[in-house]
Amino acid sequence: PPPEETVTMTVAYAEYGPHVGDQDALKLTVAGAVEETGQVVAKELRVRLHTPELTLTLLAPAVVGQETPVQVVFQNPLPEALSGATLRMEGAGISCPKPFQM
């Protein structure tokens, strides 16, 4: 018999998306059985989902005592629109987080 065989399976976002929630990982389990011996083989793999980066850019020089405009760029990698997303800006001298509803 051949020593090794590769099988490729695809897990679509539509399948796992509704179950991820606030988690940043998937736990995949593969199991099989050898018919001749009844031996069960299994392997588990934890896959960390990559979160997209936020890019921050100052749009003007930062001057003490003056407002500073900041551009935030975020690209949604999901095949569906985001809803209810909020960005909060925090930093030294900012008395409370400033929420921005998207």
Side-chain angles (χ1 to χ4, degrees), residues 30-85:
V30 176
V34 179
E35 289 182 12
E36 294 80 12
T37 65
Q39 180 185 13
V40 175
V41 293
K43 180 72 176 180
E44 195 171 273
L45 176 66
R46 185 179 167 100
V47 179
R48 186 163 190 273
L49 300 173
H50 294 281
T51 54
E53 291 186 23
L54 290 175
T55 303
L56 303 172
T57 305
L58 287 177
L59 299 178
V63 178
V64 174
Q66 295 182 7
E67 289 186 0
T68 302
V70 177
Q71 178 186 53
V72 181
V73 176
F74 166 81
Q75 184 172 351
N76 178 10
L78 303 175
E80 58 188 48
L82 293 177
S83 62

Side-chain angles (χ1 to χ4, degrees), residues 7-13 15-17 19-20 23-32 41-49:
V7 177
T8 301
M9 300 175 78
T10 301
V11 181
Y13 174 73
E15 293 178 274
Y16 73 84
H19 307 286
V20 173
Q23 302 296 318
D24 65 349
L26 296 176
K27 186 167 82 172
L28 304 172
T29 303
V30 176
V41 293
K43 180 72 176 180
E44 195 171 273
L45 176 66
R46 185 179 167 100
V47 179
R48 186 163 190 273
L49 300 173

